[in-house]
Amino acid sequence: MLIIDNATVTEILTMKDCIRVQEEAFRKLPEGARVIFNLYVVEGYNHREIAEMINISEGTSKSQFARARQLLQGMIAKINAKTTKVAAAQG
């Protein structure tokens, strides 16, 4: 088995699949939730800063972030369940 920096090819492909699933789920988020999630997680802004930037309340920023996180978890779980069923059927 080929090993690249202590990771097998299978592990690398699995990581790529995980990234693909996360990106797919992220693109499906409603725009407001996606923007806030990106600003908070990727850009590193806090909810007060986000609220000021896009002219919403801090509470709205927090609730949209929670909504985004909940939606992402659900979408990723569904995608993973489908992938597991397909893999089981093939193997």
Side-chain angles (χ1 to χ4, degrees), residues 31-84:
E31 184 180 2
R34 187 175 60 244
V35 167
I36 290 170
F37 188 88
N38 186 62
L39 288 170
Y40 188 81
V41 174
V42 178
E43 301 295 329
Y45 292 103
N46 64 43
H47 290 292
R48 182 185 50 76
E49 294 168 325
I50 293 168
E52 290 174 5
M53 257 189 271
I54 59 176
N55 199 30
I56 59 173
S57 72
E58 188 173 341
T60 298
S61 177
K62 289 178 181 180
S63 67
Q64 286 292 311
F65 176 75
R67 180 175 183 229
R69 190 175 57 211
Q70 182 181 27
L71 289 170
L72 282 172
Q73 288 170 341
M75 286 188 275
I76 289 169
K78 282 182 183 178
I79 292 167
N80 283 338
K82 286 179 188 177
T83 303
T84 301

Side-chain angles (χ1 to χ4, degrees), residues 1-60:
M1 183 172 292
L2 179 64
I3 298 179
I4 303 170
D5 292 331
N6 296 325
T8 65
V9 171
T10 303
E11 289 169 329
I12 291 170
L13 292 174
T14 301
M15 286 185 273
K16 282 184 165 185
D17 285 339
C18 288
I19 292 167
R20 181 191 53 77
V21 165
Q22 291 171 0
E23 288 173 346
E24 180 182 334
F26 182 75
R27 283 191 303 273
K28 291 180 179 179
L29 285 176
E31 184 180 2
R34 187 175 60 244
V35 167
I36 290 170
F37 188 88
N38 186 62
L39 288 170
Y40 188 81
V41 174
V42 178
E43 301 295 329
Y45 292 103
N46 64 43
H47 290 292
R48 182 185 50 76
E49 294 168 325
I50 293 168
E52 290 174 5
M53 257 189 271
I54 59 176
N55 199 30
I56 59 173
S57 72
E58 188 173 341
T60 298

